[in-house]
Amino acid sequence: MCHAVEDSDTRDQFEEVLVQLIVELKSEQYLRCILDESQKELRKATTRRGSLPTFTLLGKLADAIPVFADILVVEHSNLVDHLLVGLMYPNEGVKAAVCYLYGKLYSSPVGTEKLSAHFEERLCSLFLNTFGHAQTKELQVNCLGLLKELLKSEHFVSILMNNPKTEEESENSDLLEGENPLPLILKKLLLTRDEMLQAASSHCMAAVLVHSPSRYAPAFIHADVPEFLFECLMCNSEILIWSVYCTLLLLTEERLFFSKCHTVYGIESLVRSLQDVLQLNNVELHKQGLLLFTEILKRQPVEIKLFTNRGVCIDAIDVLMKTVDCPVLEVEMEAVKAVAAFLRKDHLSSPPVPYEKLQKLLEALLKRCADLSPPQSSNMHAQGDLLLSMSQSLSRVSWRHGQLLLNTLESFRNACRLAVELQSDPMAQENAFTAPSSENKETLSNFSEFLLRICDSLCIPMVMNYLERAVSSSVMEVFISALNTLFTVVPNMRNKFSKKLASSCFIRLTLELKARFCSVQSNPALNQACSSFLCNLCLSLYSATEKERTSSQEEQEMSELLQKSLPQLNYTVAEGLLLLAENPEPLPLDQSLCNHQHCFILLLYFAYTLGDRFVPEAELFLAIRNFLLLAQDHRDCPPPYILRAVLYLLAACQDKGKALDSRSLCTVKRILDNLPDLSLVYVHCPLLLKFFLHYPELMGRFGHQVLQLWFSWEDCNHMETEEAAFGTSDQLNNANPLLPILKSNSSILLILLDLVCSSSVEVAQKVLMALRTFLEINEDAFVCDLLRNQFLHILQQLLVESSSASLQANRNLPVLLNLLFLVQLRSKGMRELDSTDFKLLHQVSNLCGKCRPKDTDLLQPSLNFLYCSLHQTTPCSQQRAVAVLLSNVSLLELLQKVLECTWVWSFPSEPTYLSSEDALLSSGWLLAASLLIYQHRYNTEVHQTLSLDLRQVLNAVIFRNKKPVLLLVSIMQFLRAILRQNFSSLLVTVVQNTAQGAAQPQPSLLEDAALHPLTMQQVFSLVVSLQNLLVHVYLQKELLLSQAVVACLETLLEYLYVKNQDVARHVASQPWHRFLLLTLLSGSQKSILQPEILRLMTLFLKYQSSNIISQKEIGQILQEVAEANLLELPEATSRALHLFLCQIQSSHCQVEPVQARTIQTLLEHLPGQTSTCAKYQDIVCLGSVAISLSHSED
């Protein structure tokens, strides 16, 4: 009946009804009936075209009823022969129906089995020929359907891919060229621009390749199929793109795919496809595309450059940046893998390298991974095993996050390796195309520093956070490997980086990783990474901490030891301590055990030096002590760098362990005695210093050498900075660890003094600074006495054994004298001088007599010492001291030469600057003034006089240009002393020299005769100069000079009053004094109760200068005094105020009764006036000059 119906639509409806009816009847009898009838129709069909309805009906039945195909191939197999005939009929409709039916037959397992031989012997070539010549889409689609079913069987795939063409097919076919027609047939479909056919074609390719990429991929590659697959990526069909991704992914497993440069051709298409795909909401497509991209990046041969166009490389980075920020974790994981594969030198070596893009990519990658990390635990473990404090399983941490972290770390490690590889490429150092005037940020150095920075800020915290919850050997292997690579990324930061790692417990962490994962030869990759990391870390720390004495031979030995022993050093901490106490076999010596012990000691040493004390100190102290004893018992002396570590560890654990017994101390002494130089095992740290000075046995034998090394290594600038920065005793002790040791054991002072004499000038200066700081905080008088006795012994020996020339050449002697002066300066209050003091005074004065004025470094501390000795003692001792000094003729001759240098030496342009010459002149004038005063006071015998030109002394004050402040103060101090003695002294002879050839001037006026040796002109010039100087220094807050100026005016007027009262009153009442007073009063910003102003007003009242000071000024002062708290006034102000008030009362000034009562009340309430010398210590050191404040203001 089907054949009788000619209308195709009617026939189709009839067939549908028939199929539906048979389906509903559910009886195999009807199926067999239809098959019988169909067989009859096919036999009697005059043409194959007439069999089309039969083939169509059979195909529909096979599609609707699964068992129908099995019945057909089992019970009516002869029908299959008719299918072959139909497939050869030149009608594509018939062929399409036959292919459809074949597809249904081969979709059945029974059909596949029964028709296997049929396909191999008869159908395969015919099918490929039909498929290759198919013109209609219907036939192409049905062929693809049949092919899809066939490709499910590896047997059929093998037949299809190995089916050669017959000679007839080769001659008659222009399309099927080559050995294998299937790849060419499928490539033909890729050219159709029909996305459905293209997707089906690529799907079939994937179905072939999935069975064996290495076996079947070459056929497709030789057919240039990959080229057309890449072209297909420029479409909008997600199905087609997915199919192409899958096929290309399988092709990447064949190296020929890369060597034929298909990836170079297609990478741009792939990158653009990924850019478009990322706009779609198809996660699986994103993942598949990134997977393909990753495999291409990973498998691309190094010798074949993938990115020949820098723009494509930049686009690829942009794609990776977008995918890294993807909110879908699966996509991000694929993106991270792609980043890791992308970071290869051969992918990025085209200049200029996009360093800034790479930085942004890596930063986004690490931040994203950190953001996805679980929150950090609030319960931080401060002590104990780092790994045992972490979770023992991955159950608390998502496995996906662990994988993401692993891939992220691989990306970071590859970035570090990239930076190292690019160091050897001159073209990759910076962007050569940057404009000359612009800053070039695209440099390798910036990128390398970025890697170090981001490792510290993101990478390390992220891994530490992960380790609180899980420990993965693969994660830690990549992490440790990345850290190891960073040592060579930024070579100039290597030492700083290694110190930070060690101080952050990375030695401990790495040892625990090795003990946990690498025992019994497991995890060799992690073991190698950890061992290499520890080796590089230790060598970096060695070069960083031992830079003063880094030895290439020692470093080489240490490197060999670490490389040899670290891979086997997979012990826990407890096992490591037991290892140190293990006794090696004596014959032969167990070198392997010794190497392991030495290696473990080195690791402990570097960890402890950076503050990671992960081994209990008491246990470590005992283990190290036992190690030393065993080594000594076997006559085995460890190399110096091991002994250095041993000594440091003993010193570091000293406070927590028991003291070393006599046997241990003897062992240490014996080992150290065998060393050619103690510096080989010296470590510059307070702990080792304390260790050697703690045991008398060690201090007596090695104390001098250790202290010598301590000061040799100590930074002088560092010591000065610490001394200036810290004020309290505790702060100074922390800054200078030698101070508390000195306080507890003062005998060390003797060693330090010996160092001052025997060491280099640099070391002696450092010792001086340490002793000066110690003296400033130490109150023990015994210490000063001890030092003075030692100083005397040293000076006596020097003066006896040395000539003047050798003394002047001795560069340590100035340091010693400075220290002697500091000891003297340390004395508080008035002290009786003992025999040692007088002997020191004698020796120092003799030393001065052997010097020249230009020996400032020797004379300055010597004159300071002599000056302090005069001012810091009782009158009885002072009288004897003056006698000792005045009896030394050579000292006075030297003092004469020094004072004369005032008129010879030039002064710097800045008057406030005090050079060494200015300081010496200042000390010389101060000492001369003191000797002048005390010689007159005690009427001491003089053996040598000083001769001074009065005109030059006055001119030094009158014409004061360029003279430093302190020098002016000193000269005025001397001028006051000579004025008080009316220029008549046994010690000083005053002369008036004139220009050469001029006659000696004679006094021409009565006033000049009365004031001799002064003249009125000199007096007025001096007064005017002192007035100007007072205004200047008062406004500049030069308090010391202002006090000296006022004191000089007081003394000058006293001298004038004695010589001629009228002249004195005349000078005191000069009108310009009024302007001086008003200027000072107006310049007082806070208060007019200043000592200088009060003393100046007292002076004017004393000499009845009513035109200078008025009732208004007196009232102003009395008002301010009444409002002030008298108890809070400074002592100098209180004394000046007392003198001012007393002068008002004694001079009978016209004051109101209320003011008179106020003055009396103030005098009664002012604090009691006591002797300045007895009340406070007034010796100060200004620059390098010692000066008595009470001496300058009195």
Side-chain angles (χ1 to χ4, degrees):
M1 187 175 178
C2 288
H3 293 275
V5 180
E6 295 183 359
D7 182 60
S8 60
D9 293 337
T10 305
R11 185 171 61 244
D12 289 342
Q13 291 177 3
F14 176 79
E15 291 173 352
E16 291 292 337
V17 171
L18 181 59
V19 171
Q20 188 65 32
L21 178 62
I22 295 175
V23 171
E24 293 294 333
L25 290 174
K26 298 180 181 179
S27 173
E28 293 184 3
Q29 180 182 354
Y30 295 107
L31 295 177
R32 291 183 176 90
C33 179
I34 291 177
L35 286 171
D36 291 338
E37 291 297 323
S38 297
Q39 188 171 358
K40 294 177 183 178
E41 289 294 329
L42 290 173
R43 285 175 182 169
K44 66 181 182 180
T46 56
T47 64
R48 290 297 99 184
R49 184 179 181 86
S51 62
L52 177 60
T54 303
F55 291 145
T56 304
L57 176 61
L58 292 176
K60 290 181 179 180
L61 286 171
D63 184 40
I65 305 171
V67 73
F68 178 78
D70 296 343
I71 296 173
L72 189 153
V73 298
V74 173
E75 300 179 9
H76 295 79
S77 56
N78 52 357
L79 275 175
V80 176
D81 295 333
H82 294 285
L83 294 179
L84 285 175
V85 176
L87 203 57
M88 291 185 289
Y89 186 72
N91 182 285
E92 294 203 351
V94 176
K95 292 180 180 180
V98 171
C99 287
Y100 184 83
L101 181 55
Y102 262 127
K104 296 303 176 182
L105 295 179
Y106 279 101
S107 67
S108 165
V110 175
T112 301
E113 181 183 357
K114 293 293 184 180
L115 298 177
S116 176
H118 170 78
F119 176 79
E120 183 176 1
E121 296 170 0
R122 305 176 65 185
L123 177 60
C124 181
S125 298
L126 184 58
F127 166 68
L128 289 174
N129 185 52
T130 301
F131 194 8
H133 291 86
Q135 299 296 320
T136 63
K137 184 174 181 179
E138 180 185 14
L139 179 56
Q140 291 172 334
V141 170
N142 289 351
C143 286
L144 286 168
L146 171 57
L147 181 62
K148 179 181 177 183
E149 296 300 331
L150 293 172
L151 294 179
K152 293 179 181 178
S153 168
E154 185 173 356
H155 176 64
F156 292 152
V157 170
S158 176
I159 294 171
L160 286 166
M161 293 301 294
N162 293 301
N163 182 265
K165 295 181 297 179
T166 64
E167 292 183 5
E168 181 182 353
E169 290 172 339
S170 299
E171 292 174 359
N172 299 332
S173 174
D174 296 329
L175 174 66
L176 301 179
E177 299 176 357
E179 292 293 328
N180 197 324
L182 183 59
L184 296 174
I185 293 170
L186 295 177
K187 183 176 80 169
K188 175 185 175 183
L189 294 179
L190 293 178
L191 298 172
T192 60
R193 294 190 179 183
D194 187 321
E195 292 184 350
M196 186 191 75
L197 293 177
Q198 290 174 324
S201 173
S202 61
H203 181 77
C204 290
M205 294 178 191
V208 173
L209 294 169
V210 77
H211 290 286
S212 178
S214 61
R215 182 178 176 185
Y216 303 126
F220 290 97
I221 295 171
H222 284 301
D224 292 331
V225 170
E227 176 182 342
F228 297 97
L229 287 173
F230 279 118
E231 292 294 336
C232 289
L233 290 176
M234 298 293 97
C235 68
N236 297 322
S237 172
E238 297 181 28
I239 297 175
L240 175 56
I241 294 174
W242 168 268
S243 299
V244 172
Y245 282 165
C246 294
T247 307
L248 289 172
L249 186 61
L250 290 167
L251 288 173
T252 59
E253 298 185 31
E254 172 57 39
R255 181 172 176 79
L256 191 63
F257 177 68
F258 298 95
S259 60
K260 288 286 187 178
C261 295
H262 288 296
T263 51
V264 179
Y265 172 82
I267 190 64
E268 183 173 359
S269 299
L270 177 58
V271 171
R272 290 181 180 175
S273 171
L274 287 171
Q275 289 176 325
D276 296 335
V277 163
L278 291 176
Q279 308 300 321
L280 305 175
N281 189 21
N282 190 331
V283 173
E284 294 301 321
L285 197 58
H286 298 170
K287 290 166 54 179
Q288 197 69 7
L290 286 170
L291 183 59
L292 171 61
F293 189 36
T294 302
E295 289 302 314
I296 291 176
L297 291 169
K298 189 187 302 182
R299 296 172 183 265
Q300 180 71 19
V302 175
E303 63 273 11
I304 302 176
K305 200 171 194 56
L306 181 62
F307 295 99
T308 56
N309 184 341
R310 187 174 185 268
V312 178
C313 182
I314 299 297
D315 291 340
I317 297 176
D318 293 337
V319 167
L320 294 174
M321 181 74 78
K322 291 179 182 177
T323 52
V324 162
D325 288 332
C326 180
V328 182
L329 182 59
E330 292 87 347
V331 176
E332 183 181 356
M333 290 179 65
E334 293 298 335
V336 174
K337 294 178 184 177
V339 173
F342 180 77
L343 292 169
R344 274 174 38 181
K345 180 184 177 183
D346 51 293
H347 292 335
L348 292 160
S349 58
S350 296
V353 180
Y355 290 118
E356 283 196 281
K357 286 273 188 180
L358 293 179
Q359 289 183 28
K360 292 177 181 178
L361 176 61
L362 285 169
E363 188 170 12
L365 182 71
L366 289 169
K367 283 184 177 179
R368 180 64 176 160
C369 187
D371 292 341
L372 292 175
S373 301
Q376 192 166 2
S377 172
S378 59
N379 182 22
M380 297 296 292
H381 300 271
Q383 296 179 351
D385 191 324
L386 289 181
L387 297 182
L388 291 179
S389 68
M390 304 163 187
S391 172
Q392 299 297 317
S393 68
L394 292 174
S395 58
R396 294 172 56 192
V397 179
S398 167
W399 179 86
R400 285 182 175 180
H401 175 257
Q403 286 299 114
L404 177 63
L405 177 62
L406 174 62
N407 297 331
T408 301
L409 291 175
E410 286 180 344
S411 299
F412 180 73
R413 178 178 64 178
N414 289 353
C416 296
R417 289 175 175 173
L418 172 67
V420 174
E421 292 172 358
L422 290 175
Q423 289 175 357
S424 59
D425 186 357
M427 297 295 293
Q429 301 301 313
E430 61 182 22
N431 186 355
F433 303 103
T434 305
S437 59
S438 62
E439 182 182 0
N440 189 1
K441 296 182 180 180
E442 297 270 1
T443 63
L444 178 59
S445 61
N446 287 345
F447 179 66
S448 301
E449 291 174 7
F450 160 79
L451 291 176
L452 205 60
R453 203 165 50 244
I454 204 166
C455 176
D456 182 45
S457 61
L458 281 177
C459 194
I460 292 177
M462 183 170 60
V463 175
M464 293 298 106
N465 182 23
Y466 172 77
L467 286 178
E468 291 183 7
R469 295 160 181 82
V471 185
S472 167
S473 60
S474 56
V475 168
M476 295 312 297
E477 186 268 322
V478 175
F479 176 58
I480 296 296
S481 177
L483 293 179
N484 192 31
T485 308
L486 276 173
F487 285 123
T488 51
V489 169
V490 188
N492 61 332
M493 297 289 287
R494 177 188 179 114
N495 292 346
K496 185 176 181 181
F497 179 60
S498 61
K499 286 182 179 180
K500 184 153 190 178
L501 288 177
S503 64
S504 302
C505 305
F506 270 85
I507 294 179
R508 180 202 319 198
L509 174 63
T510 312
L511 285 175
E512 291 174 1
L513 285 171
K514 285 169 63 65
R516 178 169 177 178
F517 292 107
C518 305
S519 58
V520 295
Q521 297 182 348
S522 57
N523 290 304
L526 176 61
N527 190 20
Q528 179 58 36
C530 291
S531 301
S532 179
F533 168 74
L534 285 174
C535 180
N536 285 324
L537 178 61
C538 291
L539 293 176
S540 296
L541 291 172
Y542 172 78
S543 62
T545 57
E546 308 290 342
K547 57 186 177 182
E548 295 290 335
R549 54 143 176 262
T550 300
S551 166
S552 58
Q553 180 181 355
E554 185 175 272
E555 188 172 4
Q556 179 64 28
E557 292 177 3
M558 188 184 300
S559 176
E560 292 176 359
L561 171 67
L562 293 170
Q563 290 176 9
K564 184 186 303 181
S565 304
L566 278 172
Q568 288 82 41
L569 201 69
N570 301 323
Y571 307 113
T572 63
V573 171
E575 292 170 343
L577 293 178
L578 292 175
L579 175 75
L580 294 180
E582 193 168 338
N583 194 354
E585 293 295 333
L587 293 173
L589 191 63
D590 191 348
Q591 191 60 43
S592 176
L593 175 60
C594 288
N595 288 341
H596 289 182
Q597 290 174 331
H598 294 172
C599 186
F600 189 60
I601 287 173
L602 278 178
L603 293 174
L604 291 172
Y605 166 65
F606 287 121
Y608 263 62
T609 54
L610 274 300
D612 183 14
R613 300 193 171 197
F614 60 92
V615 181
E617 284 92 338
E619 298 177 19
L620 180 58
F621 186 79
L622 183 62
I624 295 294
R625 190 202 67 176
N626 292 338
F627 169 79
L628 273 181
L629 293 175
L630 289 173
Q632 184 63 26
D633 290 342
H634 289 87
R635 305 289 183 184
D636 174 35
C637 184
Y641 59 89
I642 298 299
L643 284 179
R644 189 185 312 142
V646 166
L647 288 175
Y648 176 84
L649 292 173
L650 284 176
C653 303
Q654 174 68 50
D655 293 338
K656 299 295 178 66
K658 295 181 180 180
L660 290 177
D661 54 18
S662 58
R663 182 188 173 204
S664 302
L665 287 171
C666 288
T667 299
V668 173
K669 286 178 60 179
R670 193 176 298 115
I671 290 175
L672 295 179
D673 281 333
N674 291 331
L675 291 173
D677 188 356
L678 189 64
S679 64
L680 294 174
V681 296
Y682 175 75
V683 180
H684 188 63
C685 74
L687 293 172
L688 190 68
L689 179 67
K690 183 179 178 182
F691 176 76
F692 272 97
L693 299 181
H694 176 73
Y695 295 101
E697 298 89 343
L698 296 180
M699 187 183 76
R701 178 67 183 84
F702 305 106
H704 188 283
Q705 298 177 61
V706 170
L707 286 168
Q708 171 86 29
L709 289 168
W710 170 266
F711 286 105
S712 298
W713 285 51
E714 192 73 359
D715 185 1
C716 186
N717 294 329
H718 179 63
M719 293 178 66
E720 290 177 348
T721 303
E722 287 177 340
E723 185 179 345
F726 297 99
T728 66
S729 175
D730 291 340
Q731 289 172 326
L732 282 169
N733 288 343
N734 293 333
N736 191 341
L738 184 60
L739 298 181
I741 302 176
L742 283 174
K743 194 169 185 179
S744 62
N745 189 355
S746 57
S747 59
I748 302 173
L749 291 170
L750 301 180
I751 302 177
L752 295 181
L753 286 179
D754 186 56
L755 285 178
V756 172
C757 300
S758 60
S759 303
S760 63
V761 178
E762 182 182 1
V763 172
Q765 288 286 355
K766 295 175 185 177
V767 175
L768 172 64
M769 281 188 281
L771 287 174
R772 180 176 64 190
T773 306
F774 173 70
L775 291 172
E776 288 175 353
I777 64 172
N778 187 55
E779 301 290 342
D780 191 358
F782 169 75
V783 172
C784 292
D785 293 338
L786 180 67
L787 290 173
R788 269 191 286 266
N789 287 324
Q790 189 68 12
F791 283 140
L792 178 61
H793 173 72
I794 295 172
L795 285 175
Q796 286 174 337
Q797 186 176 359
L798 283 173
L799 290 173
V800 169
E801 297 177 357
S802 304
S803 62
S804 297
S806 60
L807 284 175
Q808 293 159 7
N810 190 329
R811 300 183 63 192
N812 286 351
L813 187 55
V815 180
L816 186 69
L817 292 170
N818 267 301
L819 190 55
L820 174 61
F821 162 59
L822 290 177
V823 173
Q824 185 68 24
L825 191 64
R826 188 70 186 88
S827 300
K828 296 290 185 180
M830 300 296 107
R831 185 180 64 86
E832 284 284 349
L833 300 181
D834 57 17
S835 60
T836 302
D837 294 308
F838 283 109
K839 291 177 182 178
L840 279 172
L841 204 63
H842 177 72
Q843 297 295 340
V844 173
S845 60
N846 285 342
L847 175 63
C848 291
K850 294 185 177 183
C851 294
R852 301 162 298 177
K854 66 179 182 179
D855 299 326
T856 56
D857 52 349
L858 287 173
L859 288 176
Q860 185 61 58
S862 301
L863 296 185
N864 283 339
F865 173 76
L866 299 179
Y867 180 82
C868 289
S869 299
L870 290 177
H871 286 272
Q872 287 184 307
T873 186
T874 60
C876 180
S877 296
Q878 194 178 62
Q879 183 177 359
R880 293 181 59 193
V882 172
V884 170
L885 296 181
L886 292 182
S887 65
N888 195 320
V889 175
S890 60
L891 170 65
L892 295 177
E893 290 176 347
L894 178 279
L895 191 57
Q896 174 76 47
K897 296 175 183 177
V898 169
L899 298 182
E900 289 175 352
C901 288
T902 308
W903 334 123
V904 178
W905 289 346
S906 59
F907 297 98
S909 57
E910 291 291 334
T912 56
Y913 172 73
L914 192 68
S915 64
S916 58
E917 292 82 4
D918 299 333
L920 178 61
L921 294 178
S922 301
S923 296
W925 285 103
L926 288 172
L927 180 60
S930 299
L931 289 174
L932 184 60
I933 293 171
Y934 296 138
Q935 186 280 327
H936 178 74
R937 179 180 299 174
Y938 302 117
N939 195 23
T940 309
E941 183 179 358
V942 175
H943 300 274
Q944 175 72 26
T945 60
L946 300 175
S947 177
L948 290 173
D949 184 355
L950 178 60
R951 181 181 59 82
Q952 289 180 323
V953 175
L954 293 175
N955 287 344
V957 179
I958 296 172
F959 306 105
R960 60 185 182 278
N961 290 340
K962 298 183 180 181
K963 289 185 179 63
V965 169
L966 199 54
L967 180 56
L968 282 173
V969 171
S970 305
I971 295 174
M972 282 190 281
Q973 194 81 348
F974 178 84
L975 183 59
R976 288 173 55 208
I978 197 69
L979 282 170
R980 285 186 173 179
Q981 297 180 31
N982 296 325
F983 297 100
S984 176
S985 170
L986 296 176
L987 178 61
V988 177
T989 302
V990 177
V991 297
Q992 285 265 25
N993 291 331
T994 58
Q996 187 175 1
Q1000 183 74 18
Q1002 298 295 326
S1004 57
L1005 300 175
L1006 293 176
E1007 292 86 350
D1008 290 348
L1011 300 179
H1012 186 75
L1014 292 177
T1015 65
M1016 281 297 295
Q1017 181 181 359
Q1018 289 175 329
V1019 169
F1020 280 118
S1021 297
L1022 181 60
V1023 170
V1024 171
S1025 179
L1026 291 175
Q1027 287 176 332
N1028 294 336
L1029 185 59
L1030 182 59
V1031 172
H1032 175 74
V1033 300
Y1034 187 79
L1035 295 178
Q1036 297 295 324
K1037 307 300 180 184
E1038 295 283 357
L1039 300 182
L1040 182 64
L1041 184 54
S1042 62
Q1043 291 176 0
V1045 170
V1046 173
C1048 192
L1049 279 172
E1050 291 172 342
T1051 307
L1052 177 61
L1053 287 174
E1054 288 175 4
Y1055 172 80
L1056 296 177
Y1057 192 79
V1058 170
K1059 292 291 185 176
N1060 190 324
Q1061 295 183 7
D1062 293 334
V1063 172
R1065 291 191 182 95
H1066 175 68
V1067 172
S1069 61
Q1070 290 299 314
W1072 54 72
H1073 289 315
R1074 175 69 177 169
F1075 295 106
L1076 171 64
L1077 183 60
L1078 294 177
T1079 301
L1080 296 180
L1081 289 174
S1082 62
S1084 299
Q1085 298 177 357
K1086 295 182 180 180
S1087 171
I1088 61 173
L1089 295 181
Q1090 302 295 331
E1092 298 81 4
I1093 296 177
L1094 293 173
R1095 290 174 63 181
L1096 197 61
M1097 296 178 73
T1098 303
L1099 184 64
F1100 295 143
L1101 287 174
K1102 180 178 180 180
Y1103 294 104
Q1104 301 174 5
S1105 304
S1106 57
N1107 63 323
I1108 306 301
I1109 182 169
S1110 65
Q1111 183 70 28
K1112 178 181 178 182
E1113 284 81 26
I1114 295 175
Q1116 184 179 352
I1117 290 178
L1118 292 178
Q1119 181 181 355
E1120 187 164 344
V1121 171
E1123 297 173 355
N1125 187 344
L1126 299 181
L1127 297 178
E1128 294 180 356
L1129 291 177
E1131 187 171 355
T1133 303
S1134 180
R1135 289 198 307 272
L1137 178 60
H1138 185 272
L1139 292 174
F1140 175 71
L1141 297 176
C1142 290
Q1143 188 61 50
I1144 293 177
Q1145 286 185 334
S1146 63
S1147 60
H1148 307 292
C1149 290
Q1150 298 296 323
V1151 294
E1152 299 177 359
V1154 176
Q1155 292 178 332
R1157 289 192 297 271
T1158 301
I1159 292 172
Q1160 186 59 41
T1161 303
L1162 290 173
L1163 287 172
E1164 293 173 359
H1165 288 84
L1166 275 174
Q1169 303 303 306
T1170 58
S1171 172
T1172 299
C1173 296
K1175 189 167 183 179
Y1176 68 97
Q1177 171 70 26
D1178 67 335
I1179 295 287
V1180 295
C1181 195
L1182 302 177
S1184 57
V1185 178
I1187 183 171
S1188 170
L1189 297 179
S1190 60
H1191 187 202
S1192 65
E1193 70 182 53
D1194 182 15

